Amino acid sequence: MIKDIEVKKKLSSRWFEYLQSEICKQFELLEKKVSKKSKVFKKRIWHKKNKEEGGGISYILENGNIFDKVGVNKSTVSGKFQKKFRSKIMGAEKNGQYWASGISVVAHMKNPKMPAVHFNTRFIVTSKSWFGGGIDVTQSFKDKKERKELNKKLFRICKINNKNYQNYRKWCDKYFFLPHRNEIRGIGGLFFDYERDNWENNFNFVRNVGIGFLDITKKIILKKINVKWNTKDKEKQFLKRGRYVEFNLLYDRGTKFGLNSGGNVEAIFMSLPPNAKWK
Amino acid sequence: MIKDIEVKKKLSSRWFEYLQSEICKQFELLEKKVSKKSKVFKKRIWHKKNKEEGGGISYILENGNIFDKVGVNKSTVSGKFQKKFRSKIMGAEKNGQYWASGISVVAHMKNPKMPAVHFNTRFIVTSKSWFGGGIDVTQSFKDKKERKELNKKLFRICKINNKNYQNYRKWCDKYFFLPHRNEIRGIGGLFFDYERDNWENNFNFVRNVGIGFLDITKKIILKKINVKWNTKDKEKQFLKRGRYVEFNLLYDRGTKFGLNSGGNVEAIFMSLPPNAKWK
């Protein structure tokens, strides 16, 4: 059993880095599948103002054959939260110190019949330490079968790690909710946080969620790669993307965490769609 | 001197109603100037869940010859703020009761060389009562002359009402600011709040600001009605609209007030552009 927190930090941040490169590689392969004239990820490196407090690497691919925009971010940052924000982070109440490493992915698809997918896992250290993360899927068009398969896959990932999927699923529905519209953003998924009972088991779970996300996304894409769509479908997707923007700017904790921890604006807003509409 | 608060409520809300109809009329005339095949405003009426707490009327014109989207809202609402929100509103700390009437206008132009314009005035009553409001202009393309003329006009409106424009101008720059980008949203304008020293004078000022907004907007439009633009210019406008969305959802007090006072989502989000992009 690993007890040294520095070892835990190193293992988790290395995993996120490996997963980032794997996701980018696989997504580029999917792009190539459609056409040899395919786009590749652009790499951006950023540091916090105080370079000793870390930074991140973000990969963005835009105007692809499959992805309108997909961002794959990895960051490892540390520092001290401002006083007013401390009470909102477990274990940061006293001195506000934190260390955090994580990966997040948001993919907005060209084909409006394909859902947008979002994934994130993180390891956070304050006076306490824990894993958190999730996967969620946002359809512009209802597809019950897709939803069912998602649930099945996520259920299995949870089961082999002795985690209760029903709880995480409920948490996801509750989290990705727009109260001002009384509307759920997506079709659900998995949302977990404050996982701190057994580090090895939780780390394993986090790795399974990461690989699971890649599997799920590839399957969703391959299944719909030849599904036809028209401009009217695209309009519907643009309006759904408006909801995505509303959620991310009004409620998302990740956005708030990013803006409150001196994160890189471009990297934080990577989650925003390339465009959105409002009626 | 008017002392009765009920009379003040009636006079102010009637003014906002009159101004709303005047703005809609003038904007439709501008649309007709370009082509006889012009769009007209669509009227939407909404009520709070509890109908006794009021509601509003919003007029929206979309896909016009001049306006991509323009909304002209008037609402008169009352009620009790939720406890956690009370400390944020002057005079509502104790019992949370409020009454508010106001007009707000946001115009997103078809021609990207024309700036977006925003205007709002309101009369709010808690255990205290005051006027607030403002005008601000957001250019996608720098136009120093336009900015200069705006300042000149606003300066004059303030001067004849014994108001200090410099203070309001600074307040505007400070308010319409995106801290996460260290960027001012617009080119400035006028922002005032908590005007409660002399009701008659303040009411007069509010009326002058309203008529002034209409004058300013008409001049801006007529000056640029024939200015050429291309798709590249439009792209730039879409990105600027992204900033508009960020501000409105992350920081705008009006949006927060609306969402916290049981306002109508469509009416609150009228301020959002019809579309926006992010790089």
Side-chain angles (χ1 to χ4, degrees):
Chain A
M1 228 174 76
I2 301 162
K3 293 217 164 163
D4 186 343
I5 190 73
E6 294 307 321
V7 175
K8 290 177 182 174
K9 286 180 182 176
K10 201 162 264 178
L11 285 171
S12 59
S13 78
R14 274 190 193 158
W15 163 254
F16 297 137
E17 210 176 302
Y18 162 74
L19 183 62
Q20 182 187 38
S21 67
E22 192 60 25
I23 291 173
C24 290
K25 202 173 77 188
Q26 302 273 343
F27 282 2
E28 282 185 356
L29 282 174
L30 285 170
E31 283 285 326
K32 264 187 205 143
K33 226 179 152 73
V34 181
S35 156
K36 276 183 185 165
K37 267 176 72 186
S38 65
K39 297 278 165 68
V40 291
F41 278 95
K42 276 183 198 155
K43 183 178 180 176
R44 286 197 278 205
I45 299 175
W46 62 271
H47 294 281
K48 284 181 66 176
K49 254 187 199 167
N50 176 354
K51 282 198 174 182
E52 283 175 17
E53 294 187 343
I57 299 176
S58 69
Y59 286 92
I60 295 198
L61 189 154
E62 281 173 298
N63 301 315
N65 302 310
I66 290 170
F67 302 102
D68 267 351
K69 179 183 173 189
V70 52
V72 186
N73 280 0
K74 190 254 166 180
S75 65
T76 303
V77 292
S78 60
K80 261 188 158 187
F81 286 121
Q82 286 182 299
K83 278 194 177 151
K84 59 171 186 174
F85 193 64
R86 290 179 188 175
S87 63
K88 289 178 181 155
I89 305 290
M90 182 170 76
E93 301 84 359
K94 273 191 185 162
N95 61 18
Q97 277 185 329
Y98 70 92
W99 177 97
S101 185
I103 178 172
S104 69
V105 182
V106 181
H108 294 283
M109 310 301 191
K110 186 174 172 182
N111 187 333
K113 298 287 176 75
M114 286 185 199
V117 294
H118 164 237
F119 153 72
N120 153 258
T121 43
R122 57 196 176 263
F123 181 53
I124 296 181
V125 182
T126 57
S127 65
K128 300 192 166 115
S129 69
W130 69 95
F131 283 104
I135 292 177
D136 78 284
V137 170
T138 307
Q139 295 174 340
S140 303
F141 292 85
K142 262 193 192 171
D143 181 339
K144 276 188 190 169
K145 209 176 152 197
E146 189 175 65
R147 182 182 190 164
K148 216 173 165 182
E149 277 167 21
L150 172 73
N151 284 327
K152 220 165 105 184
K153 175 85 182 170
L154 294 178
F155 172 80
R156 251 185 276 134
I157 294 171
C158 290
K159 206 181 173 195
I160 57 169
N161 287 283
N162 286 313
K163 304 285 185 186
N164 185 330
Y165 176 49
Q166 288 315 317
N167 289 348
Y168 294 152
R169 192 182 164 175
K170 274 180 214 152
W171 200 345
C172 182
D173 284 346
K174 210 177 147 188
Y175 181 76
F176 292 103
F177 182 73
L178 292 92
H180 60 286
R181 294 192 183 271
N182 195 27
E183 203 178 285
I184 288 175
R185 188 180 77 171
I187 55 161
L190 177 78
F191 189 97
F192 60 97
D193 210 354
Y194 312 118
E195 297 285 328
R196 51 196 296 268
D197 52 336
N198 175 328
W199 196 85
E200 281 75 12
N201 182 41
N202 290 332
F203 185 39
N204 209 45
F205 176 54
V206 157
R207 281 181 294 180
N208 287 171
V209 169
I211 296 299
F213 163 74
L214 192 50
D215 285 351
I216 288 166
T217 305
K218 278 166 66 181
K219 264 185 200 146
I220 285 175
I221 290 171
L222 290 172
K223 213 160 206 169
K224 291 186 164 165
I225 208 159
N226 293 316
V227 170
K228 295 266 179 294
W229 56 273
N230 57 34
T231 50
K232 217 176 144 190
D233 300 331
K234 198 69 188 167
E235 282 297 307
K236 202 174 164 193
Q237 186 193 39
F238 289 156
L239 292 174
K240 188 72 186 172
R241 284 181 181 173
R243 303 291 204 266
Y244 217 92
V245 172
E246 287 174 22
F247 180 83
N248 284 20
L249 298 183
L250 284 172
Y251 307 112
D252 188 52
R253 297 194 315 181
T255 304
K256 288 202 173 74
F257 184 94
L259 296 176
N260 278 294
S261 60
N264 179 268
V265 174
E266 307 282 318
I268 296 165
F269 286 165
M270 167 216 80
S271 64
L272 295 179
N275 53 2
K277 290 198 175 187
W278 284 268
K279 263 211 283 208
Chain B
M1 228 174 76
I2 302 162
K3 290 216 165 165
D4 187 343
I5 191 72
E6 295 306 321
V7 175
K8 291 177 182 175
K9 286 180 181 175
K10 202 162 263 178
L11 285 171
S12 59
S13 79
R14 273 190 193 158
W15 163 254
F16 297 136
E17 210 175 302
Y18 162 74
L19 184 62
Q20 182 187 37
S21 69
E22 191 59 26
I23 290 173
C24 290
K25 201 174 77 187
Q26 300 274 342
F27 282 1
E28 283 185 354
L29 283 175
L30 284 170
E31 283 285 327
K32 263 188 205 142
K33 225 181 151 73
V34 180
S35 155
K36 274 182 186 166
K37 269 176 70 183
S38 65
K39 298 277 166 67
V40 291
F41 278 95
K42 275 183 200 155
K43 183 179 181 175
R44 286 196 280 204
I45 300 175
W46 62 270
H47 294 281
K48 285 181 68 174
K49 255 187 197 167
N50 176 354
K51 280 198 176 183
E52 283 175 18
E53 294 186 345
I57 299 175
S58 69
Y59 285 93
I60 295 198
L61 189 154
E62 281 174 298
N63 302 314
N65 302 311
I66 290 170
F67 302 101
D68 268 352
K69 180 183 174 191
V70 52
V72 185
N73 280 0
K74 191 256 167 178
S75 66
T76 304
V77 293
S78 59
K80 259 187 161 192
F81 287 120
Q82 285 182 300
K83 278 197 178 149
K84 59 172 185 173
F85 193 64
R86 289 179 187 175
S87 63
K88 288 177 181 155
I89 305 290
M90 182 169 78
E93 301 84 359
K94 274 190 185 162
N95 61 16
Q97 278 184 328
Y98 69 92
W99 177 97
S101 184
I103 178 172
S104 69
V105 183
V106 180
H108 294 282
M109 311 300 191
K110 186 174 173 183
N111 187 334
K113 299 289 177 73
M114 286 185 199
V117 294
H118 164 238
F119 152 73
N120 153 258
T121 43
R122 56 198 175 262
F123 181 53
I124 296 181
V125 182
T126 57
S127 65
K128 302 196 164 111
S129 70
W130 69 96
F131 283 104
I135 292 175
D136 78 284
V137 171
T138 306
Q139 295 173 340
S140 303
F141 291 86
K142 262 192 192 171
D143 182 340
K144 277 188 189 170
K145 209 176 153 197
E146 189 174 65
R147 182 182 191 163
K148 216 173 164 181
E149 276 167 22
L150 172 73
N151 283 327
K152 219 165 106 185
K153 176 86 182 169
L154 295 178
F155 173 80
R156 249 184 277 133
I157 293 171
C158 290
K159 206 181 171 193
I160 56 169
N161 288 282
N162 285 314
K163 303 285 185 186
N164 185 330
Y165 176 49
Q166 288 314 316
N167 289 348
Y168 295 151
R169 190 182 167 176
K170 273 180 214 153
W171 201 345
C172 183
D173 285 345
K174 211 177 147 187
Y175 181 76
F176 292 102
F177 182 73
L178 292 93
H180 60 286
R181 294 192 183 271
N182 196 26
E183 204 177 282
I184 288 175
R185 187 180 79 170
I187 55 161
L190 177 78
F191 189 98
F192 59 97
D193 210 354
Y194 311 118
E195 298 283 329
R196 51 197 296 268
D197 51 335
N198 175 329
W199 197 85
E200 280 76 10
N201 182 40
N202 290 331
F203 185 40
N204 209 46
F205 176 54
V206 157
R207 282 181 293 179
N208 288 170
V209 170
I211 295 300
F213 163 74
L214 192 50
D215 285 350
I216 288 166
T217 305
K218 278 167 69 180
K219 263 186 201 149
I220 284 175
I221 289 171
L222 290 171
K223 211 159 206 170
K224 290 186 164 166
I225 208 159
N226 293 315
V227 170
K228 295 266 179 295
W229 56 273
N230 56 36
T231 51
K232 219 178 141 188
D233 300 330
K234 199 69 187 167
E235 281 298 306
K236 204 175 163 189
Q237 187 194 38
F238 289 155
L239 291 173
K240 188 71 186 175
R241 285 180 180 173
R243 304 291 203 265
Y244 218 90
V245 173
E246 287 175 22
F247 180 83
N248 284 20
L249 298 183
L250 285 171
Y251 307 112
D252 188 51
R253 298 196 313 184
T255 305
K256 288 202 172 73
F257 184 95
L259 297 175
N260 278 293
S261 60
N264 178 270
V265 174
E266 307 281 317
I268 295 165
F269 286 165
M270 167 216 79
S271 65
L272 295 179
N275 55 1
K277 290 198 174 187
W278 285 268
K279 262 211 284 207

